[in-house]
């Protein structure tokens, strides 16, 4: 054995730490959080890409949802809970809260 | 129209409280009572609609009213308990209750599309009245910061509900 058993884990750990830096930023899907508070969707992430995840955090005492008007995603959000979706298409995706249709926003996905 | 006149009476009392603010503002115990009553009356109206309406859009709206106002009122109850405040009955709560009682009797005699239209148009009017009261009288008069903050959330909710009711009213035409 050229690589001793004690050396291998160290080498693996070293590569593991370097890996995220080496890969271009656009290749790996990102995860973003959108906070819902006082019957409003908070700031939306700007640089979204297909495959990215959005975690919707409902800080209200009310039940909400994040529902795409084109039905590409729909997540029910109980009071104080969070839910996530994965963006499966590109373009402008308008969404509303199913229970409070005047709560709305548009995601721009590249 | 018995009901309309009593809603106007309620609105008049609420407006009067607004003009008489400096001299005779409601205290926190009365404000808590008014806010709780306003929510509870809308929950009752929503339950009536759920029992009577077959229209999905109307039922979804009614379900939202029951759900949201129950959530706020649960918080309100927890808050008055924490603050050791006993909600105090007052002419505004009584006027709101009287108006809602006659509307409930009126709706009880209706069915189908006419029930749906009357329920929704009353919801628009009701939320407008309560919004005005929250904005002009209840929020400015509230002394306790936590009560004020809960009322502000209540106002946002009532505004959202008013917009939703207006939207449903358009769909029913």
């Amino acid at each position: 054995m050229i690589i001793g058993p004690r050396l291998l884990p160290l080498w693996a750990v070293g590569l593991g730490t370097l890996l995220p830096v080496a890969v271009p930023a656009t290749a790996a899907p990102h995860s973003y959080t959108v906070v819902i508070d006082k019957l409003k969707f908070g700031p939306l992430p700007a640089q979204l890409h297909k495959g990215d995840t959005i975690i919707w955090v409902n800080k209200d005492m009310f039940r909400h949802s994040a529902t795409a008007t084109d039905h590409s995603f729909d997540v029910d959000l109980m009071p104080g809970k969070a839910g996530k979706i994965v963006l499966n298409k590109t373009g402008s995706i308008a969404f509303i809260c199913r229970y409070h249709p005047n709560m709305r926003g548009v995601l721009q996905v590249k | 129209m018995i009901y309309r006149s009593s809603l106007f009476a309620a609105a008049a009392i609420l407006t009067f409280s607004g003009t008489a603010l400096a001299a005779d503002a409601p205290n926190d115990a009365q404000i808590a009572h008014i806010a709780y009553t306003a929510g509870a009356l809308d929950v009752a109206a929503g339950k009536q609609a759920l029992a009577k309406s077959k229209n999905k859009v109307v039922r979804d709206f009614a379900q939202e009213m029951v759900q949201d106002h129950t959530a706020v009122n649960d918080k309100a109850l927890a808050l008055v308990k924490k603050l050791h405040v006993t909600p105090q009955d007052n002419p505004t709560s009584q006027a709101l209750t009287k108006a809602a009682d006659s509307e409930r009797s009126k709706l009880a005699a209706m069915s189908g599309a006419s029930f749906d239209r009357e329920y929704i148009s009353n919801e628009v009017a009701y939320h407008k009245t309560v919004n005005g009261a929250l904005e002009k009288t209840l929020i400015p008069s509230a002394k306790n910061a936590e009560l004020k903050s809960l009322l502000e959330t209540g106002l946002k909710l009532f505004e959202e509900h008013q917009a939703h009711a207006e939207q449903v009213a358009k769909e029913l035409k």
Side-chain angles (χ1 to χ4, degrees):
Chain A
M1 293 281 279
I2 297 167
I3 299 171
R6 282 197 341 191
L7 207 55
L8 184 61
L10 269 179
W11 170 83
V13 168
L15 184 64
T17 347
L18 282 174
L19 214 52
V21 184
V23 173
T26 47
H30 283 58
S31 189
Y32 300 93
T33 300
V34 175
V35 175
I36 302 168
D37 194 17
K38 297 187 166 59
L39 293 127
K40 266 199 181 131
F41 288 103
L44 302 173
Q47 293 288 320
L48 288 169
H49 293 87
K50 189 178 167 182
D52 285 351
T53 295
I54 296 185
I55 299 162
W56 308 85
V57 178
N58 179 8
K59 291 178 87 174
D60 268 340
M61 64 179 93
F62 313 112
R63 183 180 183 176
H64 292 305
S65 82
T67 305
T69 51
D70 67 1
H71 308 294
S72 61
F73 62 81
D74 185 9
V75 60
D76 206 38
L77 303 159
M78 297 306 278
K81 305 278 183 208
K84 63 180 177 180
I85 56 136
V86 176
L87 297 166
N88 59 11
K89 57 172 280 195
T90 58
S92 289
I93 308 172
F95 62 94
I96 58 166
C97 163
R98 190 167 352 122
Y99 308 107
H100 309 99
N102 293 289
M103 287 173 61
R104 53 180 72 235
V106 180
L107 297 174
Q108 302 291 350
V109 186
K110 282 180 189 163
Chain B
M1 305 264 283
I2 298 165
Y3 166 66
R4 294 281 175 231
S5 53
S6 37
L7 182 59
F8 283 141
I13 289 175
L14 292 165
T15 317
F16 175 74
S17 322
T19 46
L21 198 62
D24 195 16
N27 62 37
D28 281 7
Q30 290 167 329
I31 292 169
H33 196 283
I34 296 167
Y36 187 88
T37 303
L41 292 172
D42 205 43
V43 169
K47 284 184 176 165
Q48 185 185 36
L50 286 171
K52 287 186 74 101
S53 178
K54 292 183 175 62
N55 182 311
K56 189 184 182 297
V57 177
V58 172
R59 294 182 61 83
D60 284 351
F61 175 84
Q63 184 61 52
E64 179 195 322
M65 295 306 112
V66 172
Q67 199 167 282
D68 287 351
H69 288 295
T70 303
V72 183
N73 273 5
D74 286 351
K75 290 267 175 193
L77 280 187
L79 181 62
V80 293
K81 201 174 164 193
K82 183 184 146 192
L83 300 174
H84 303 292
V85 169
T86 306
Q88 188 185 326
D89 200 3
N90 59 84
T92 305
S93 292
Q94 287 158 11
L96 282 172
T97 305
K98 201 178 160 203
D101 284 349
S102 45
E103 177 67 13
R104 203 176 308 117
S105 320
K106 183 183 173 187
L107 280 165
M110 301 174 94
S111 62
S114 56
F115 173 90
D116 292 340
R117 275 196 295 270
E118 175 58 29
Y119 166 63
I120 294 296
S121 80
N122 184 62
E123 284 294 292
V124 173
Y126 183 76
H127 281 86
K128 248 183 222 172
T129 304
V130 178
N131 280 345
L134 280 166
E135 208 170 8
K136 293 190 185 72
T137 309
L138 306 181
I139 293 173
S141 307
K143 299 273 186 297
N144 179 275
E146 283 178 90
L147 177 63
K148 205 187 259 285
S149 157
L150 186 60
L151 292 170
E152 280 161 357
T153 304
L155 175 61
K156 286 212 175 71
L157 181 73
F158 266 81
E159 284 170 346
E160 165 64 42
H161 286 175
Q162 186 188 326
H164 192 184
E166 283 165 349
Q167 209 169 303
V168 176
K170 264 187 215 160
E171 283 177 49
L172 291 180
K173 268 179 191 165

